[in-house]
Amino acid sequence: MYDASCPIQVNFVPRTNIQMLELYKSLNFDNIDGGVWKQGWRIEVDEKDWNRHNKLKVFVVPHSHNDPGWLKTVNEYYTTQTKHILNNMLSKLPEDPRRKFIWAEISYFSMWWDELEEENREKVKRLLHNNQLEIVTGGWVMNDEANSHWISIMHQLTEGHQWLQQNLNYTPLSSWSIDPFGMSLTQPALLKEMGLQNMLIQRVHYSVKKHLASKQQLEFRWRQLWDGTGKTEMFTHMMPFYSYDIPHTCGPDPKICCQFDFKRLPSHGLQCPWKVPPQAITDKNVAERATLLLDQYRKKSKLFKTNVVLAPIGDDFRYDHPTEWDVQYNNYQKLFDYMNSNLNLNVKAQFGTLSDYFAALHKEMKISEFPILSGDFFTYADRDDHYWSGYYTSRPFYKRMDRVLLSYVRMLSAISGCQRVIQICTHILLNGLGAEVPSKDVNYYNIDDVRHSHDAISEHYQITIGVPEMRTKKIVIFNPLTFARHEVVTFYVSTPFVEVTDFRGKRIHCQISPIFEYGSTMSLTKFQLSFVANIPALSLVSYTVNALWENETPRETVFATVKIFNHYDEIQAPNGFDPEIFPSSSEFTLQNARVTASFSKVGLLKALKIRKTTIPVHLDFAKYGVRVRPNTDRSGAYLFLPDGDAVSLQIENVAVNVIEGPIMSSVTIQVPYVRHTATLYNTPAHVAAQTLLNPMIRLLRVEDEDSVSNGAYSSVDQEFGVDFSLATFKTNVYIKGSYHVGVVVHRQFLDICFSDRVLLRQFPLSHGTVNITGLLPIDSRKRLHKASLSFSLIKNEVDGKGNLPLCPMEMQAFII
């Protein structure tokens, strides 16, 4: 299904020098006190290691880390600090051509740019052209790498790169990732495909840093786990010490390094925790101070393979006052001048950008001489047992909302704005290109995803229909994937007596189920309508729900049976249902044509049987307590510091609500803090469960009587295999002064998952190629080019009408 040139091969295990899963098994995580370098050891140096032909090369890189929202909002940070940092940069860098500065967050940079006069915009361009200013990574933000979906990361990087192209004609070369809490293997893969050549990382477990430093392996070629050819590798520098602030970047002794953070000079507002303040550099003390600092640079160099040293100077929201620019740059320049003019010191120290450092490093040693590393750097701990995994699960509501928003953005601001775009597009496509574009106040469709406020859980619309009036509601369903889907969709209706017809007017099978509001109480006015929707790739298909008199209910409409276990009282059942009530419970099963699911007495899944194979399942709910010790940190938004092992929630005599029907069956229980439902789909055809990222978008026609719009719309000539997905479809892609259409196609590796022949028949894989014209018709005047993942670089032209090969796990961007 793919040729031998692909970097992933099933029968070959890629060779690496460092494999992180194996390294984690071998580390002791003993946290031994290393002296001044608490998490390391005492580093010894010999001045004879350097001479006039083998000088130490030091690149001091000024930076300011600007979180787009942390303790303040984005706008508050911009107004009070970030705006002043960038204004100072514009005035202070031109004062001396030897000064350098790097910037990462384009969200802030774009806000500042919008306020600049044209003269100052030209100054910014000159600073970039003169290599005094470097944009690193170039993302809209410095993204998290643990919780973020890879498509969200790609979107935010693309947003930043496109802004840089459009406004500065600039493409980043190096990545700067100092504050994400652990480092993902996905990040270098995305950056590589976007054309970046080097990257820097910081927040890695201190035991991992110590081990790699002891073997001079803090710089490496970072490869994907499956890459046997090196196609995906990214050259990576790992910062060796505790933090990215100045006390932890010049060398192993933070007490000394802090003395060279000149914002901490007396009367400047900050102090060194080690009680030894910096000294302004003068002719009298420059020799002593330069020697002290150089000793730290030399010791830091011993952790790396080359004589090129990177020494960042910066921290969160630094350089927001002109005096900091003056004291940092002026004092460091005096130190550099002394070091460089004293030939016996055998050092060349200077301000530099991140790419300056990497260029000097690659000049001194070939990339092939650095080790190969595969794996990721989770879970992060900065000291003791302080593991930063609390934020994996904190604020789950907003994490879920992020995924919901991504599902909307992938198909086309805020969720409501995306919904409006979707419903307008649906109106135009189903009414033809000549359809009138509605005004802002007109809604043709409501998306079945209602949010009353930003912090509210989404709800279904209730379709209010009945006889003799309001008999009909038209529904349109959109499939955003590149292959046909046959999936169960669910709506809420006000009456159980309905029928569903497809866009040809043919009646289809549907199921009516009760809705449990709390515990075993069933709604008397709201019902769940479920049916299997058949939607081709990237298509819109309409269905119609018709209200009926009770005695008109057709055989295609089936009412689910209801059983309630562990319940003693009588239950008022809605019209059409006669639930069976049991005062106790026993183990029970639900099944469809392929799967038998066994449940315990309290309604929790305990086993799955697929054909003759039984897979035991242990499902439990547990909670952690919070460690409480005097004068110590607690679990919170970042850290996970429990008071011991998790304690299982005791579930006894809980009501178990069971629904069984021809379309779907479910088991629901309500326990403290949790409402848990297990669903089994019963359709004989191939049905895939909906996912949070790829939902069937359900639209409800506002006008009940709609005789104008078409019943379906599809422009796709051929479908992709299920191993292909359309990660991005983007109009108005800016490249070299003009706008284009860009798409990103991703091929997953599903061979192992789809070794089942039945699954392969139901979910056919591709033959390893993709035909873009089958997705987007391209006329003879259009050209198709490969591009970098953020569309900032155009690559070779390809035959738009041909089948283009993609390897498993490959991402490929195309420009039309």
Side-chain angles (χ1 to χ4, degrees):
M1 300 182 71
Y2 47 91
D3 59 45
S5 65
C6 289
I8 180 172
Q9 298 293 327
V10 172
N11 299 319
F12 174 73
V13 178
R15 295 184 180 90
T16 61
N17 303 108
I18 309 159
Q19 211 300 306
M20 290 307 301
L21 291 174
E22 297 303 318
L23 178 57
Y24 286 131
K25 294 176 184 178
S26 67
L27 291 178
N28 292 324
F29 298 97
D30 45 12
N31 197 19
I32 298 172
D33 190 335
V36 294
W37 179 17
K38 288 288 185 182
Q39 297 166 340
W41 64 89
R42 180 183 175 89
I43 302 175
E44 302 288 349
V45 296
D46 186 346
E47 294 182 10
K48 296 178 181 178
D49 289 343
W50 298 274
N51 55 52
R52 294 187 182 184
H53 304 290
N54 184 38
K55 288 188 174 183
L56 186 68
K57 304 174 187 68
V58 180
F59 289 88
V60 173
V61 180
H63 70 97
S64 181
H65 178 59
N66 284 242
D67 294 287
W70 179 36
L71 302 177
K72 303 177 185 177
T73 66
V74 175
N75 287 331
E76 287 171 343
Y77 270 129
Y78 177 73
T79 303
T80 60
Q81 291 179 276
T82 306
K83 176 179 181 179
H84 305 298
I85 296 168
L86 292 168
N87 284 339
N88 292 332
M89 176 196 76
L90 197 58
S91 63
K92 293 298 182 179
L93 285 185
E95 291 180 2
D96 188 335
R98 296 172 295 181
R99 293 180 175 182
K100 303 289 183 84
F101 194 69
I102 64 171
W103 188 267
E105 297 85 5
I106 302 305
S107 51
Y108 280 129
F109 201 89
S110 66
M111 295 169 69
W112 177 66
W113 179 266
D114 288 343
E115 297 179 356
L116 290 183
E117 299 291 340
E118 189 59 35
E119 179 183 358
N120 285 331
R121 291 183 176 184
E122 291 302 317
K123 285 184 181 180
V124 174
K125 293 177 182 178
R126 284 196 295 272
L127 291 172
L128 288 168
H129 182 266
N130 296 339
N131 194 38
Q132 287 187 264
L133 171 64
E134 180 184 16
I135 304 295
V136 287
T137 309
W140 204 246
V141 297
M142 187 179 293
N143 61 270
D144 166 58
E145 299 181 23
N147 295 284
S148 302
H149 195 278
W150 71 269
I151 295 178
S152 292
I153 298 173
M154 182 178 67
H155 281 171
Q156 74 90 15
L157 287 167
T158 299
E159 195 73 17
H161 288 192
Q162 282 288 296
W163 189 93
L164 290 170
Q165 279 288 314
Q166 190 163 357
N167 292 279
L168 296 170
N169 191 27
Y170 186 89
T171 302
L173 285 177
S174 300
S175 174
W176 173 262
S177 188
I178 59 173
D179 205 27
F181 311 146
M183 302 295 162
S184 166
L185 184 56
T186 301
Q187 192 79 9
L190 295 173
L191 295 171
K192 176 84 171 185
E193 291 296 327
M194 292 183 175
L196 279 79
Q197 299 173 6
N198 311 283
M199 65 184 300
L200 174 145
I201 60 178
Q202 155 58 21
R203 289 193 184 269
V204 172
H205 195 294
Y206 59 87
S207 292
V208 174
K209 288 191 174 192
K210 180 179 179 179
H211 174 84
L212 295 180
S214 70
K215 297 181 179 296
Q216 292 187 324
Q217 293 179 328
L218 289 166
E219 290 174 324
F220 47 84
R221 292 176 283 161
W222 199 358
R223 283 189 189 179
Q224 299 302 297
L225 289 167
W226 39 264
D227 181 5
T229 66
K231 181 181 179 181
T232 66
E233 70 182 25
M234 171 72 80
F235 187 82
T236 304
H237 171 102
M238 181 186 295
M239 296 173 69
F241 305 126
Y242 171 78
S243 177
Y244 54 81
D245 61 0
I246 297 175
H248 296 95
T249 51
C250 85
D253 191 342
K255 180 179 179 180
I256 293 175
C257 292
C258 192
Q259 297 173 47
F260 295 91
D261 181 358
F262 294 103
K263 186 176 181 178
R264 300 178 193 256
L265 283 165
S267 76
H268 277 68
L270 288 179
Q271 294 181 335
C272 284
W274 298 270
K275 308 300 182 184
V276 182
Q279 301 175 28
I281 304 303
T282 65
D283 292 341
K284 291 183 179 181
N285 69 7
V286 66
E288 179 268 330
R289 305 310 290 173
T291 303
L292 185 65
L293 179 59
L294 179 57
D295 180 62
Q296 290 297 302
Y297 290 156
R298 286 171 172 168
K299 288 176 177 176
K300 186 175 186 178
S301 75
K302 290 300 178 181
L303 307 180
F304 297 88
K305 290 183 178 294
T306 73
N307 278 323
V308 186
V309 174
L310 176 69
I313 53 169
D315 201 349
D316 295 349
F317 297 95
R318 281 298 194 90
Y319 300 95
D320 60 347
H321 198 278
T323 56
E324 182 177 2
W325 287 80
D326 294 334
V327 294
Q328 300 283 27
Y329 281 90
N330 292 338
N331 283 295
Y332 267 99
Q333 192 60 58
K334 291 176 183 177
L335 292 164
F336 299 159
D337 291 343
Y338 178 84
M339 292 180 188
N340 298 338
S341 62
N342 284 267
L343 300 183
N344 61 309
L345 295 179
N346 299 312
V347 63
K348 178 175 174 55
Q350 61 193 322
F351 293 117
T353 64
L354 186 58
S355 291
D356 288 339
Y357 166 76
F358 283 121
L361 180 145
H362 294 321
K363 187 176 181 180
E364 183 162 311
M365 182 176 286
K366 295 179 181 178
I367 292 180
S368 60
E369 297 181 50
F370 289 90
I372 299 169
L373 181 146
S374 69
D376 61 38
F377 298 101
F378 294 118
T379 300
Y380 169 60
D382 57 346
R383 59 189 173 93
D384 303 323
D385 63 347
H386 288 200
Y387 285 90
W388 293 52
S389 57
Y391 85 105
Y392 292 176
T393 54
S394 59
R395 301 184 181 179
F397 174 85
Y398 291 104
K399 286 183 170 68
R400 186 183 188 279
M401 179 177 280
D402 168 80
R403 293 293 198 267
V404 172
L405 176 59
L406 176 58
S407 73
Y408 285 125
V409 170
R410 285 187 66 197
M411 294 179 296
L412 301 174
S413 70
I415 287 177
S416 60
C418 289
Q419 290 179 341
R420 172 150 187 80
V421 171
I422 292 168
Q423 69 98 9
I424 291 175
C425 290
T426 301
H427 163 72
I428 293 174
L429 291 174
L430 291 180
N431 286 272
L433 295 179
E436 179 183 358
V437 178
S439 67
K440 291 183 178 181
D441 299 327
V442 176
N443 271 357
Y444 289 91
Y445 297 89
N446 290 317
I447 292 183
D448 191 18
D449 182 20
V450 185
R451 295 174 184 271
H452 298 290
S453 65
H454 76 280
D455 56 356
I457 295 176
S458 63
E459 301 176 7
H460 282 289
Y461 270 100
Q462 179 171 342
I463 299 174
T464 302
I465 53 177
V467 288
E469 299 176 351
M470 298 188 299
R471 298 185 66 117
T472 298
K473 175 61 70 174
K474 185 172 182 179
I475 296 166
V476 177
I477 301 174
F478 174 58
N479 172 17
L481 295 184
T482 55
F483 49 85
R485 297 165 75 179
H486 312 275
E487 297 182 14
V488 175
V489 293
T490 297
F491 297 86
Y492 286 179
V493 293
S494 61
T495 174
F497 307 112
V498 297
E499 66 174 1
V500 179
T501 58
D502 63 17
F503 71 96
R504 295 184 180 93
K506 180 182 178 181
R507 189 181 292 150
I508 65 172
H509 292 277
C510 64
Q511 175 180 321
I512 302 295
S513 306
I515 294 175
F516 290 98
E517 295 184 320
Y518 187 84
S520 297
T521 302
M522 290 182 279
S523 173
L524 303 178
T525 58
K526 186 163 55 176
F527 305 86
Q528 182 175 284
L529 167 66
S530 304
F531 60 91
V532 178
N534 299 294
I535 316 293
L538 299 173
S539 297
L540 293 157
V541 176
S542 62
Y543 292 84
T544 302
V545 181
N546 296 312
L548 306 170
W549 296 105
E550 182 174 350
N551 60 0
E552 295 177 338
T553 305
R555 61 182 179 84
E556 288 85 357
T557 301
V558 178
F559 284 70
T561 61
V562 181
K563 298 177 182 178
I564 301 174
F565 297 98
N566 290 330
H567 193 84
Y568 301 93
D569 300 329
E570 291 186 2
I571 291 178
Q572 184 178 3
N575 197 9
F577 295 94
D578 184 17
E580 296 183 71
I581 311 298
F582 302 90
S584 61
S585 179
S586 60
E587 296 182 355
F588 61 94
T589 62
L590 298 175
Q591 66 182 52
N592 62 21
R594 284 177 57 85
V595 177
T596 298
S598 299
F599 294 83
S600 68
K601 293 181 179 180
V602 293
L604 294 178
L605 184 66
K606 63 175 296 185
L608 288 171
K609 184 178 180 182
I610 303 174
R611 296 199 184 107
K612 297 181 179 180
T613 303
T614 299
I615 305 165
V617 176
H618 180 78
L619 179 60
D620 208 349
F621 294 97
K623 64 179 179 179
Y624 287 93
V626 177
R627 180 195 304 174
V628 179
R629 295 177 183 171
N631 304 316
T632 60
D633 292 322
R634 295 188 182 186
S635 288
Y638 296 160
L639 298 180
F640 178 60
L641 295 172
D643 60 358
D645 293 337
V647 177
S648 297
L649 295 180
Q650 296 300 311
I651 303 175
E652 296 178 352
N653 297 322
V654 63
V656 180
N657 305 322
V658 181
I659 292 174
E660 295 182 73
I663 304 292
M664 57 189 288
S665 300
S666 66
V667 179
T668 302
I669 63 171
Q670 182 86 45
V671 298
Y673 313 110
V674 176
R675 180 185 176 95
H676 174 67
T677 299
T679 303
L680 186 66
Y681 296 97
N682 300 327
T683 53
H686 46 288
V687 176
Q690 296 183 35
T691 66
L692 198 58
L693 270 185
N694 303 303
M696 292 280 216
I697 302 301
R698 306 176 304 273
L699 302 103
L700 308 177
R701 180 73 181 183
V702 173
E703 295 179 9
D704 294 328
E705 299 297 331
D706 172 25
S707 59
V708 178
S709 60
N710 297 316
Y713 174 83
S714 179
S715 64
V716 177
D717 294 330
Q718 56 182 277
E719 298 181 352
F720 296 175
V722 297
D723 49 333
F724 276 98
S725 64
L726 188 66
T728 294
F729 176 84
K730 188 176 179 66
T731 58
N732 290 335
V733 173
Y734 185 87
I735 302 177
K736 298 186 182 302
S738 59
Y739 292 94
H740 308 268
V741 173
V743 295
V744 174
V745 178
H746 176 235
R747 185 183 176 196
Q748 301 178 72
F749 177 59
L750 296 177
D751 297 42
I752 303 300
C753 301
F754 279 65
S755 58
D756 186 313
R757 291 185 178 181
V758 176
L759 282 176
L760 279 172
R761 286 197 300 268
Q762 296 177 349
F763 301 96
L765 298 176
S766 72
H767 296 290
T769 60
V770 60
N771 189 309
I772 298 298
T773 57
L775 177 68
L776 301 168
I778 304 174
D779 61 40
S780 58
R781 297 170 297 171
K782 305 294 184 183
R783 292 183 176 182
L784 184 69
H785 289 261
K786 289 186 176 181
S788 63
L789 210 56
S790 56
F791 309 114
S792 55
L793 300 171
I794 295 182
K795 301 179 182 179
N796 56 298
E797 184 176 353
V798 294
D799 180 9
K801 297 181 179 180
N803 292 321
L804 306 174
L806 256 72
C807 294
M809 304 303 291
E810 185 175 357
M811 299 169 283
Q812 181 58 62
F814 296 95
I815 287 289
I816 302 168

